[in-house]
Amino acid sequence: MIKTLYLRLVLTFSAVVVVSIFLTFHIVMLLYTNRITTEVQASLLKVGNQLVEMSNEYQPIKLETLLEGSTQFNDSYSLFLFDDSGYQASFGVEKNNDRIELDQQRVTSVLHGNIYKIETKNFIYADFKESTNLMIGIPLCVNGKQYALFVTPKVSEVARKQTRNTIITALLIVLLIGSLLILVASRYIVSPIKKLTLATNRLARGNFNVNVNIKRSDEIGLLAEGFNHMAGELKQLEQMRQDFVSNVSHEIQSPLTSIRGFSKALRQSALQEDERHRYLEIIERESEHLSRLSENLLKLASLESEHHPFHPTTYDLDEQLRRVVVFFEPQWSEKELGLDLNLPRVKISADADQLNQVWTNLIGNAIKFTPHQGTIQIKLAAKTDRVVISIQDSGIGIKKEEQERIFERFYKTDHARQRGSGGSGLGLAIVRKIIERHHGSISVASEPGEGTLFTVILPIFTYS
């Protein structure tokens, strides 16, 4: 059983070479046999006509002497003579081949004055093995007696063997050279595949720092390029997984440490009542933080699994935005923020619960990071097939290098790293995932100290 691609390629290419040589030999013989036959017959006919002219001119008493002398003078052909009584004489042939078997009908036809020659379209190269298969027959009249003279080319057995051996030797040389070239070509083809196999095994063992250096522009080169891209993506995915575990551990460890520390403090009998209440409030706040973290993690995992429930309904988007603004009324009223709402009536087909979480997160962040007596603008614009929602604040802003990462899980800007903000770094990741499920897009534009603008574009009719 053949188990290696290299051996399969060598055997396959070798078989192709052998079959190609065999077919080529037969095809060439079929193409050129008729041509060779025609030329030989023309030469034989010329010899026969010369003998007829000589016999007609000299009218020899003994025709056999003329024919014998002709074959001795030119030994490239053999002659066979027939008369109406069936007499046969041969000239220029070996003693053991001094007679040939011919169809009597052919002999009779030549005796009656017809010229016989083999039909080239019916002649195949296999017949060329016997020289008597190539012949012509011409009528000959000497001293009033009618003869049939057949002329055939003389091909010696030695010459025939030499020709056969030469052809076989040439074919063997072609096969040998072809096999050597196939060995080299197969190694050239298989070598990059071996590199890919080794790299794949390393990748399967968890080593993502692999790179296949194959500089080719063919399909194997494209495969190597795709493999390197896949390895890079897996490496990045592994780094994201490690960062995720690290971030989750950090987010969980901090509140657990606080809860454990203040729980121990509550055991002190001499603890004042106001301190007891403050410790309990901290424990409650940290517990709520853990609850929100676990809830957001479960929700993000559900969204990324593509099995999260999706229930699109047609509703007023402007009304939904107003309800979210009213929900945050205590927060923006406490900070004396100015709200500028431009919300014309717009209907949209989408999952209302999921989009409500988007607006809650974006508007909540705008209120959280806008300073006292700042402003927030919420605008809604309807296009032909989509709606554009923009939420702009006059808050602390986001640095340019941080804007590309704010949608990553657990990523927080420096201004948002304070525990008092209560953020876990999952809100915007959830927002982006929900918008992607609605086949929309979200972008951010911000300058430090000048506020932030979030722009959401959604299709009017959404189907997940």
Side-chain angles (χ1 to χ4, degrees):
M1 182 177 182
I2 302 174
K3 295 183 178 180
T4 63
L5 178 61
Y6 179 73
L7 185 57
R8 288 185 181 183
L9 285 175
V10 171
L11 293 178
T12 300
F13 287 164
S14 299
V16 170
V17 170
V18 172
V19 173
S20 299
I21 291 175
F22 178 79
L23 293 178
T24 301
F25 175 76
H26 286 269
I27 292 173
V28 169
M29 290 300 298
L30 288 173
L31 291 176
Y32 286 95
T33 295
N34 286 344
R35 179 178 176 180
I36 295 173
T37 303
T38 302
E39 293 178 355
V40 172
Q41 285 183 345
S43 177
L44 295 177
L45 186 60
K46 182 178 179 180
V47 171
N49 289 331
Q50 290 175 348
L51 292 174
V52 170
E53 291 176 0
M54 291 174 61
S55 63
N56 290 335
E57 181 177 353
Y58 296 109
Q59 291 293 315
I61 297 176
K62 196 170 183 179
L63 179 61
E64 289 84 349
T65 303
L66 176 65
L67 298 180
E68 183 66 30
S70 174
T71 56
Q72 291 178 355
F73 179 76
N74 187 350
D75 62 351
S76 62
Y77 56 86
S78 300
L79 302 176
F80 299 90
L81 186 66
F82 293 85
D83 59 13
D84 52 3
S85 63
Y87 166 78
Q88 175 183 333
S90 59
F91 310 92
V93 298
E94 298 178 359
K95 292 300 181 180
N96 55 352
N97 292 326
D98 59 349
R99 298 185 65 86
I100 61 172
E101 297 295 334
L102 281 179
D103 185 3
Q104 186 60 37
Q105 185 178 358
R106 296 178 182 177
V107 176
T108 303
S109 175
V110 176
L111 289 173
H112 283 80
N114 299 318
I115 295 177
Y116 164 77
K117 58 182 177 179
I118 192 170
E119 293 292 336
T120 57
K121 65 180 180 179
N122 295 327
F123 183 77
I124 60 175
Y125 72 89
D127 294 328
F128 201 64
K129 295 177 182 178
E130 299 294 338
S131 60
T132 54
N133 289 331
L134 264 176
M135 64 168 53
I136 64 162
I138 54 177
L140 181 64
C141 184
V142 177
N143 298 324
K145 186 175 181 179
Q146 196 72 25
Y147 295 94
L149 180 64
F150 290 87
V151 185
T152 64
K154 183 186 293 184
V155 182
S156 66
E157 185 65 23
V158 174
R160 189 177 294 121
K161 288 183 178 179
Q162 289 179 344
T163 303
R164 182 174 65 250
N165 293 337
T166 301
I167 294 175
I168 293 176
T169 302
L171 294 178
L172 289 176
I173 292 174
V174 171
L175 179 61
L176 178 61
I177 295 176
S179 299
L180 293 176
L181 294 177
I182 287 169
L183 290 174
V184 176
S186 299
R187 185 172 297 277
Y188 173 75
I189 295 174
V190 174
S191 177
I193 298 179
K194 288 184 177 179
K195 291 182 180 180
L196 283 170
T197 302
L198 293 175
T200 302
N201 291 334
R202 293 171 58 191
L203 195 66
R205 290 193 296 267
N207 183 4
F208 299 103
N209 295 314
V210 293
N211 184 69
V212 181
N213 186 18
I214 300 177
K215 296 181 179 179
R216 293 170 57 168
S217 57
D218 56 7
E219 288 80 359
I220 295 180
L222 294 176
L223 178 61
E225 183 180 349
F227 177 85
N228 290 333
H229 177 72
M230 178 189 69
E233 292 293 324
L234 289 175
K235 181 179 179 180
Q236 183 178 0
L237 184 62
E238 175 63 15
Q239 185 62 43
M240 291 176 61
R241 185 190 67 82
Q242 294 178 1
D243 292 342
F244 176 79
V245 172
S246 176
N247 289 325
V248 170
S249 300
H250 173 76
E251 290 294 331
I252 293 177
Q253 187 63 34
S254 296
L256 286 178
T257 301
S258 298
I259 293 174
R260 184 170 58 250
F262 287 110
S263 296
K264 290 181 179 179
L266 287 174
R267 294 179 181 177
Q268 299 177 9
S269 59
L271 191 65
Q272 299 294 327
E273 189 64 26
D274 55 346
E275 291 182 349
R276 186 184 303 276
H277 283 290
R278 184 167 63 87
Y279 292 168
L280 289 173
E281 288 176 359
I282 294 174
I283 292 174
E284 182 180 4
R285 184 169 63 249
E286 294 297 344
S287 300
E288 291 176 354
H289 177 73
L290 281 176
S291 177
R292 288 194 302 271
L293 176 62
S294 61
E295 181 182 354
N296 287 335
L297 284 172
L298 290 174
K299 185 172 296 183
L300 185 59
S302 178
L303 288 170
E304 290 180 343
S305 70
E306 303 298 334
H307 296 295
H308 190 75
F310 188 83
H311 305 292
T313 58
T314 302
Y315 66 95
D316 293 325
L317 180 59
D318 57 299
E319 185 62 28
Q320 185 183 45
L321 289 169
R322 290 191 183 92
R323 287 197 299 267
V324 174
V325 171
V326 172
F327 174 78
F328 284 108
E329 191 273 338
Q331 287 85 344
W332 55 261
S333 295
E334 181 181 357
K335 300 179 71 172
E336 299 181 359
L337 303 180
L339 269 67
D340 181 9
L341 305 181
N342 184 3
L343 304 175
R345 186 176 182 182
V346 174
K347 284 188 174 294
I348 187 174
S349 177
D351 191 311
D353 291 337
Q354 291 186 18
L355 287 187
N356 187 76
Q357 186 172 1
V358 170
W359 315 133
T360 300
N361 188 284
L362 294 178
I363 296 175
N365 284 345
I367 296 173
K368 182 187 302 181
F369 298 112
T370 300
H372 190 74
Q373 293 184 343
T375 59
I376 297 176
Q377 294 180 345
I378 303 175
K379 295 182 180 180
L380 174 61
K383 307 296 181 180
T384 304
D385 58 346
R386 64 189 187 278
V387 293
V388 180
I389 304 95
S390 59
I391 301 174
Q392 184 171 11
D393 60 58
S394 59
I396 58 179
I398 305 173
K399 295 179 182 179
K400 185 68 176 178
E401 60 271 16
E402 295 176 337
Q403 293 178 21
E404 299 178 357
R405 302 192 59 191
I406 60 174
F407 296 104
E408 296 179 8
R409 291 174 295 184
F410 294 108
Y411 183 79
K412 302 178 185 178
T413 62
D414 292 338
H415 299 289
R417 282 199 180 274
Q418 301 174 5
R419 175 62 55 187
S421 65
S424 62
L426 293 175
L428 289 180
I430 294 175
V431 165
R432 183 176 64 176
K433 196 62 184 178
I434 291 175
I435 293 175
E436 288 177 352
R437 292 204 64 190
H438 284 76
H439 309 292
S441 63
I442 182 171
S443 60
V444 59
S446 180
E447 290 291 338
E450 296 183 7
T452 302
L453 171 64
F454 282 94
T455 303
V456 178
I457 300 177
L458 294 171
I460 291 180
F461 296 101
T462 303
Y463 301 98
S464 180

